[in-house]
Amino acid sequence: RKLDAQCRVSLGKRLPMDAVPIKFASWIGGDRDGNPNVTPAVTLEVVTHQRLRAAKLLLKDMNKLYSELAISSRFTNDMDVLAASITESADKREKYRRVTGYLRRRLVKTVKVCEKQLQALTDSEHYVAELDTYSQFGAIDGVEPINSAEELLEPLTTMYNSLVETGFELVADGLLIDVIRRLKVFGMTLVKLDIREESTRHTIAMDAITRHLGLGSYQEWDEEARLNFLQSELAGKRPLFRTR
């Protein structure tokens, strides 16, 4: 929000809502080429931790949005359609709350799914919250977890546009646009994970493919032959290895 304000002062225009001025990435949990203890199971545990943390942070934001958006009149057609698509909700007139309440339940489902995955991966009850921790947000049996940032960005953007077009621009440019921008930067995983695999494993995998295709042994080719093959495959549109 501070960057947006500075853009208005210095450039005379606001920061585009979909701008991503910074991205975060990490190799923690993906450094398989330098640490024999970093197995695929460890990588899965790390990314599940990231999704769990992201879901909990977004759940806090959605809870605040629910409290703020107690507006019961003046909605765009797109907002009416979005709200009408949510059949189970106690919010009849407050359509922004209807949508945020639904997204909140989906985030709770995401939290519970991640907790169960971590419990299975670590054989520990530590990650599983008490059953009634999120009961105030409603039942989650009939909702799906959030799998991608777009599943949140699409309805939140509809809400933003509706608020702006109906005279509530100050409300739209508050917490709502903050959440949209956070999603653009952090997504549903907080950071992108750089998975570094020891090069021998790549060579073995490519060798198996070239042998299967009758092209010879990738492992026995020199560097120039490998580069020519890889560049040719990357430039082509067909899949390297057909599955059917």
Side-chain angles (χ1 to χ4, degrees):
R1 196 185 296 189
K2 290 181 180 179
L3 181 58
D4 179 46
Q6 190 61 51
C7 285
R8 296 191 192 207
V9 172
S10 302
L11 304 175
K13 59 177 67 176
R14 66 179 305 168
L15 183 72
M17 186 169 65
D18 59 352
V20 185
I22 187 170
K23 276 283 190 180
F24 295 91
S26 171
W27 52 263
I28 299 173
D31 187 23
R32 296 185 195 166
D33 64 342
N35 188 338
N37 295 316
V38 181
T39 62
V42 170
T43 301
L44 179 58
E45 182 180 348
V46 168
V47 296
T48 305
H49 270 294
Q50 290 176 190
R51 287 183 59 80
L52 175 60
R53 184 58 179 161
K56 287 184 174 181
L57 289 170
L58 286 164
L59 184 56
K60 289 182 179 180
D61 286 337
M62 214 57 59
N63 204 32
K64 293 176 183 176
L65 275 177
Y66 184 87
S67 298
E68 287 187 6
L69 298 178
I71 298 170
S72 58
S73 63
R74 291 156 53 187
F75 306 100
T76 61
N77 290 335
D78 287 344
M79 187 64 209
D80 286 334
V81 171
L82 175 60
S85 68
I86 300 168
T87 56
E88 295 183 13
S89 174
D91 298 299
K92 304 303 181 184
R93 297 181 60 193
E94 292 95 346
K95 296 182 180 181
Y96 297 115
R97 280 189 166 182
R98 188 179 185 88
V99 174
T100 52
Y102 173 69
L103 296 177
R104 190 168 60 177
R105 287 191 290 136
R106 291 192 64 189
L107 284 168
V108 171
K109 185 64 171 282
T110 307
V111 168
K112 301 306 292 182
V113 167
C114 290
E115 287 177 342
K116 287 183 179 179
Q117 288 176 339
L118 286 170
Q119 181 186 10
L121 286 168
T122 62
D123 192 27
S124 171
E125 297 285 343
H126 172 71
Y127 301 105
V128 181
E130 296 295 329
L131 292 176
D132 62 347
T133 301
Y134 304 109
S135 60
Q136 58 180 311
F137 301 139
I140 61 172
D141 293 338
V143 299
E144 295 295 323
I146 301 290
N147 294 313
S148 70
E150 286 301 323
E151 294 176 53
L152 285 172
L153 283 169
E154 186 174 345
L156 291 177
T157 301
T158 298
M159 290 168 56
Y160 178 87
N161 292 336
S162 177
L163 287 166
V164 171
E165 292 174 27
T166 56
F168 294 105
E169 187 171 0
L170 287 177
V171 177
D173 285 338
L175 177 60
L176 179 55
I177 197 170
D178 288 345
V179 175
I180 291 173
R181 285 179 169 149
R182 286 170 194 162
L183 276 166
K184 285 288 186 178
V185 173
F186 299 104
M188 279 298 299
T189 57
L190 292 185
V191 296
K192 289 186 176 181
L193 184 63
D194 178 15
I195 298 180
R196 306 172 183 179
E197 194 66 84
E198 202 277 317
S199 62
T200 303
R201 294 185 178 272
H202 294 290
T203 301
I204 293 172
M206 290 304 303
D207 188 72
I209 292 173
T210 56
R211 285 178 181 274
H212 176 80
L213 295 175
L215 300 176
S217 172
Y218 179 89
Q219 200 162 8
E220 295 175 1
W221 295 347
D222 59 24
E223 188 71 11
E224 183 178 0
R226 291 182 182 183
L227 286 174
N228 289 337
F229 171 73
L230 292 173
Q231 289 171 350
S232 174
E233 290 300 326
L234 290 172
K237 294 184 179 180
R238 68 169 177 79
L240 173 63
F241 182 66
R242 297 185 183 277
T243 57
R244 59 182 177 179

